[in-house]
Amino acid sequence: MNRRVSMASSNRDQGSSTEIIDEALRLVDTLQRRLLAAGLRRQVNNVTSPRSREEDVWAEAVKPEPEPEVPVADQVLAIARETLPEVGRHLSAAGALVFDAMSRSLSAVERSLRYRPGGESSGSPSETGR
């Protein structure tokens, strides 16, 4: 008889545990359906009406800081400070090249005035001016 009582109580325990498991499965199923429906609604809402830029946290985080307004005169002076040394070097080199070219040209003109073609040297300017 003891055996029958223990089997009856184990059947009762199994029945209540299967009911609990069935109830938990129904709860999980309902929860999954509700989460899926909420997710779909959210996706549809995001597609049909995207968030405004004010609500977008990432856009706010990576937004560049506005640069302060710099007066035009300060901008021009900064450009001049940055570029004048290089421009000065180029102008100096160009001036040296021009001076060298002029010097060589004047030397060539002087040589051509001193010597006539054919190897004769010309006289002084006072002798040629008869």
Side-chain angles (χ1 to χ4, degrees):
M1 204 156 162
N2 250 349
R3 195 171 191 180
R4 284 185 187 169
V5 170
S6 65
M7 286 183 72
S9 66
S10 70
N11 283 342
R12 215 177 308 141
D13 288 343
Q14 283 181 352
S16 65
S17 65
T18 55
E19 287 176 11
I20 291 174
I21 292 173
D22 287 342
E23 186 66 29
L25 288 174
R26 281 193 298 270
L27 179 64
V28 168
D29 186 45
T30 304
L31 184 60
Q32 282 179 338
R33 275 189 264 127
R34 286 185 181 177
L35 286 173
L36 181 64
L40 287 174
R41 269 193 307 257
R42 178 176 287 161
Q43 290 296 327
V44 169
N45 285 340
N46 286 344
V47 170
T48 58
S49 61
R51 292 182 186 171
S52 68
R53 296 292 276 171
E54 296 147 3
E55 294 177 16
D56 192 2
V57 176
W58 179 251
E60 187 68 28
V62 298
K63 180 175 70 173
E65 301 258 341
E67 293 184 19
E69 282 292 319
V70 179
V72 175
D74 289 344
Q75 291 176 4
V76 169
L77 288 175
I79 291 169
R81 268 188 241 115
E82 291 172 5
T83 57
L84 278 181
E86 188 173 343
V87 169
R89 283 192 299 273
H90 288 293
L91 287 177
S92 174
L97 287 173
V98 167
F99 182 75
D100 183 49
M102 286 179 57
S103 171
R104 289 173 34 201
S105 299
L106 286 175
S107 295
V109 168
E110 283 178 354
R111 281 193 305 268
S112 71
L113 290 176
R114 281 191 205 143
Y115 304 105
R116 287 191 164 189
E120 297 178 15
S121 64
S122 64
S124 66
S126 62
E127 293 176 359
T128 58
R130 302 189 222 170

